[in-house]
Amino acid sequence: MPILKIVAPGEPARSVRLTKRVTSLGAASDNDVVLPSSALPATCAHVVTDGEAFEISAIDRVDLIVRGKKRRKHRLAHGDELQIGDVALAFHLLDDLPVPSGDTGPLAKAGATAKRPVIDAYRQLHDFSARLLENYRLDPLLDALMDAVIDVTHADKGFLVLLESGEPTIKVARNVRRENIAPAITQLSDSILARVVRDRAPLIISDALRDEEFKTSLSVVNLKLCSVMCVPLLERGNLLGVIYVGNDRVASLFDQTALDVLMVFAAQASLLIRNALLVQELTIDKGRLEERLEAMRFGQILGACAAMQEVFRKVDKIAVTDISVLITGETGTGKELIAREIHNRSPRRKGPFVSINCGAIPEMLLESELFGHVRGAFTGAIGNKPGRFHAASGGTLFLDEIGDMPISLQVKILRALEEKAVMRVGDTRADPVDIRVVAATNRELDVEIKAGRFREDLFYRLNVVALHLPPLRERGDDIVLLARYLLAKFCEEYASRARGFAPSTIVALRRFGWPGNIRQLENHLKKAVVLSDRALLSPADLGISEEALPPILPLTQAREEWQRRYINEVLARNGGNRTKTARDLGVDPRTIFRHLERENGEPEPGGEV
């Protein structure tokens, strides 16, 4: 096996085997052969072999002296003595070094020599992959990738070119000293690059200046290119770019093994770039989602649908006044959040916000909770106690579930609202209070009034402005946006690995009825985040079974159902006026009459014909 004997001033003589296709020499420790001389550059020469002959080439302005003459290149022969700076070299075709243990003869040594470059390449790939797992910063990773490619292919420069809007753009340009090359565009052949981009196939050029296809290329002639290797970066058939490496001093440097190694690195680069693009897309999507969330945010409330936007518009107008507000909607729709937002946007925001659930306190205690009591008013009244009306003075009193309040207390609430004063239980004098009342209910109070369970005069006193919160199932894409917002919040809170929803889950979120509305959505998501081990949550993780979803209707039936709901909606908007509804819908009035007959009833009382 060929060796180089090295003699440096003040250093003992030593010998090294030439086992690589390209062996680098220089003062830097990352060279294959380190020359102990401070007078030499980091890399000063390359020894290149085609498997038969060996040639040494000087790099930059290093003086290579052979038999007393300066040379840029020299074909080595057995016994040649050379001088590089103050270091003497001798080339021998016969290996006089001891054979490593485990070798059994010339064939084993030859096999080990052939495998060494491949092993080195895969070691570099392993090291690079480890760095990829530790760091997702793209720019330093791409630099490290190209440094590794240059090292394993023994090129003296390498380029990573990406396609942006169909045009090749140089993203990384590195030389053998791990430095950036500038200006990069002048250092590679545009004709070779165009060929690989067009054919999407790897290309090896042993001597570009003598290659039939490229020897007339202006870029090849001007750059005096020798060995060039260029491979495409493909991801699922899509061309992301190319990796281009070259050596301007050594012809026939690259072979099929070098190309195979470069293809492996190209596959790794494609993965890296694709992952980086995905991360970039996710970052952009996250930014867009945050922008959408911010656009649909109203204080602590999220809502982008038309119904919620109308609620927000009304809140903005009424918050600055002191008029009473009645908030209606199903349980879990966020009535208290709206009440708090009215308070927070009002001149009373520095005062207290006091909430009481009128349906959660027994009747015998509710009066005391609302109005307070004096000592001895009833058994257990051992002292004077202010009520919620007193506590809310200067601020806002939120009467939640007002529809569940006993009718015997409703008259006292009405008097307190009209007189702006309350009388404690057992007291004989009234205490003035300065409050704004916001009430809420999930009941239909007009039905309760007809049934004699709610006072009509109190209804009109509370219902100066009515705000109706739509159920979650009627809020369209708000469901998905709210679910994503809550998922991100709960994942951070509970350190969950869940990161999103499977496509089937998005469909289930939209189709599910959500009888408990936002409160139910929150609870389902909390359970899924805590119990699921999936990155993408399934409908089962959210506790949504196929049986819980509305059945898929035949198209004809679905069309009829939609038409029925839409006619009812237009009738309601027109106050039950059948003629106007028919005119608005562009149908014969008899169509509306037949619709009402199928609904088993006439228009609501008060509707016009």
Side-chain angles (χ1 to χ4, degrees):
M1 180 180 294
I3 62 169
L4 273 180
K5 292 189 175 181
I6 303 166
V7 180
E11 297 281 340
R14 59 190 175 94
S15 298
V16 294
R17 290 191 181 93
L18 300 178
T19 60
K20 292 186 173 182
R21 185 175 179 82
V22 177
T23 302
S24 59
L25 293 78
S29 60
D30 57 355
N31 286 291
D32 300 312
V33 178
V34 179
L35 303 180
S37 172
S38 59
L40 292 176
T43 301
C44 57
H46 283 157
V47 176
V48 183
T49 179
D50 58 5
E52 296 180 0
F54 287 79
E55 184 178 77
I56 186 169
S57 302
I59 293 179
D60 295 333
R61 298 181 180 180
V62 173
D63 290 335
L64 172 64
I65 299 176
V66 183
R67 303 188 190 100
K69 295 183 179 179
K70 291 184 179 180
R71 302 283 181 90
R72 299 300 303 161
K73 297 181 181 180
H74 175 67
R75 189 181 180 91
L76 293 168
H78 178 68
D80 276 349
E81 295 184 352
L82 310 92
Q83 189 82 21
I84 299 180
D86 54 357
V87 177
L89 306 174
F91 176 75
H92 291 263
L93 285 173
L94 300 178
D95 186 351
D96 58 359
L97 297 176
V99 177
S101 60
D103 283 359
T104 58
L107 289 177
K109 290 165 60 180
T113 302
K115 292 178 181 178
R116 178 69 181 274
V118 177
I119 293 172
D120 288 345
Y122 279 98
R123 183 178 293 113
Q124 288 270 19
L125 182 58
H126 176 270
D127 293 342
F128 174 75
S129 298
R131 293 185 61 180
L132 175 59
L133 292 173
E134 295 172 359
N135 185 3
Y136 278 94
R137 291 180 56 210
L138 185 58
D139 291 344
L141 280 175
L142 293 180
D143 288 347
L145 173 72
M146 291 312 303
D147 290 340
V149 167
I150 291 170
D151 191 27
V152 299
T153 59
H154 305 293
D156 58 12
K157 58 185 176 181
F159 305 87
L160 176 66
V161 182
L162 298 184
L163 294 183
E164 294 183 347
S165 301
E167 295 297 322
T169 303
I170 299 175
K171 289 296 184 182
V172 180
R174 304 281 282 181
N175 62 23
V176 72
R177 293 182 292 276
R178 303 194 172 191
E179 301 167 338
N180 291 324
I181 299 174
I185 192 65
T186 64
Q187 300 297 309
L188 80 171
S189 168
D190 52 1
S191 56
I192 294 174
L193 179 65
R195 159 80 180 274
V196 175
V197 170
R198 184 189 70 220
D199 296 347
R200 300 189 178 191
L203 183 65
I204 294 180
I205 301 175
S206 299
D207 190 346
L209 287 171
R210 293 177 175 80
D211 187 270
E212 287 299 322
E213 181 178 354
F214 298 107
K215 66 182 180 181
T216 58
S217 168
L218 188 61
S219 59
V220 169
V221 173
N222 290 341
L223 292 170
K224 299 180 180 179
L225 299 180
C226 290
S227 299
V228 175
M229 193 161 48
C230 191
V231 299
L233 298 171
L234 297 172
E235 198 274 328
R236 297 182 182 179
N238 297 317
L239 183 66
L240 300 178
V242 301
I243 289 180
Y244 175 113
V245 294
N247 191 305
D248 298 342
R249 298 179 177 84
V250 181
S252 303
L253 174 62
F254 305 124
D255 60 8
Q256 187 60 44
T257 300
L259 181 63
D260 291 342
V261 170
L262 185 57
M263 289 294 289
V264 172
F265 270 86
Q268 186 74 14
S270 298
L271 177 62
L272 166 65
I273 293 166
R274 181 56 183 159
N275 285 344
L277 292 175
L278 285 174
V279 170
Q280 186 178 39
E281 288 174 7
L282 287 173
T283 302
I284 292 172
D285 286 346
K286 181 183 178 184
R288 287 174 179 167
L289 178 59
E290 289 175 349
E291 288 177 3
R292 287 192 69 185
L293 287 174
E294 199 56 39
M296 66 185 287
R297 187 185 297 277
F298 188 76
Q300 297 298 311
I301 311 161
L302 297 175
C305 68
M308 290 303 297
Q309 290 296 314
E310 178 63 17
V311 170
F312 299 159
R313 186 188 69 80
K314 287 184 178 180
V315 169
D316 259 337
K317 286 184 173 295
I318 65 177
V320 295
T321 70
D322 246 4
I323 60 177
S324 299
V325 180
L326 178 64
I327 306 171
T328 61
E330 296 178 6
T331 180
T333 50
K335 296 187 287 294
E336 184 168 349
L337 285 177
I338 290 292
R340 287 185 180 274
E341 199 58 38
I342 292 172
H343 172 75
N344 292 337
R345 293 170 182 263
S346 75
R348 295 176 174 271
R349 58 184 170 272
K350 294 183 180 178
F353 177 87
V354 178
S355 173
I356 182 170
N357 189 324
C358 301
I361 301 174
E363 181 178 352
M364 64 186 68
L365 299 178
L366 183 57
E367 184 177 3
S368 174
E369 282 293 321
L370 286 169
F371 305 121
H373 61 258
V374 296
R375 181 179 179 183
F378 50 82
T379 303
I382 59 175
N384 295 336
K385 177 188 174 183
R388 301 294 178 93
F389 272 81
H390 298 89
S393 189
T396 302
L397 176 64
F398 177 52
L399 299 175
D400 197 8
E401 303 304 346
I402 188 72
D404 295 336
M405 177 179 286
I407 198 163
S408 59
L409 283 180
Q410 292 175 23
V411 66
K412 297 182 179 180
I413 293 286
L414 178 62
R415 184 179 299 120
L417 295 179
E418 290 177 343
E419 298 176 1
K420 295 186 178 180
V422 295
M423 186 177 295
R424 304 188 195 205
V425 178
D427 204 352
T428 57
R429 62 182 180 82
D431 300 323
V433 289
D434 174 24
I435 62 170
R436 178 189 195 166
V437 171
V438 177
T441 181
N442 62 3
R443 294 178 180 269
E444 295 183 14
L445 292 187
D446 52 349
V447 175
E448 297 298 301
I449 291 170
K450 291 175 185 177
R453 292 187 294 267
F454 199 84
R455 293 182 62 93
E456 189 172 10
D457 48 3
L458 177 59
F459 172 75
Y460 290 121
R461 184 65 182 81
L462 294 172
N463 192 34
V464 179
V465 173
L467 297 176
H468 178 70
L469 302 187
L472 187 56
R473 62 184 172 276
E474 295 179 5
R475 290 178 57 177
D477 286 340
D478 277 8
I479 297 174
V480 179
L481 286 170
L482 283 166
R484 285 176 172 157
Y485 169 77
L486 292 171
L487 178 64
K489 174 184 173 183
F490 295 149
C491 283
E492 183 177 354
E493 184 176 344
Y494 297 110
S496 170
R497 62 176 299 229
R499 290 295 177 266
F501 300 105
S504 59
T505 310
I506 299 295
V507 174
L509 284 169
R510 290 191 173 106
R511 289 183 59 202
F512 188 61
W514 300 110
N517 293 292
I518 299 172
R519 186 180 295 116
Q520 183 184 12
L521 176 64
E522 287 181 328
N523 292 338
H524 281 226
L525 283 170
K526 281 183 181 178
K527 182 193 75 171
V529 163
V530 171
L531 297 181
S532 177
D533 294 325
R534 305 171 192 263
L536 296 179
L537 298 179
S538 69
D541 292 325
L542 292 178
I544 303 176
S545 64
E546 187 65 31
E547 294 75 19
L549 298 175
I552 297 176
L553 301 176
L555 185 58
T556 302
Q557 186 179 346
R559 187 185 296 115
E560 290 175 355
E561 180 65 23
W562 179 86
Q563 181 175 301
R564 184 186 69 80
R565 288 198 305 268
Y566 188 62
I567 292 175
N568 287 339
E569 179 184 331
V570 177
L571 273 167
R573 288 174 60 182
N574 289 334
N577 188 320
R578 291 167 288 187
T579 304
K580 187 176 187 309
T581 298
R583 186 167 57 251
D584 289 345
L585 294 175
V587 298
D588 190 283
R590 287 173 294 183
T591 301
I592 305 302
F593 281 100
R594 286 194 296 269
H595 165 78
L596 291 171
E597 288 175 0
R598 285 194 297 269
E599 291 288 296
N600 297 318
E602 288 298 303
E604 296 180 1
E608 299 177 9
V609 176

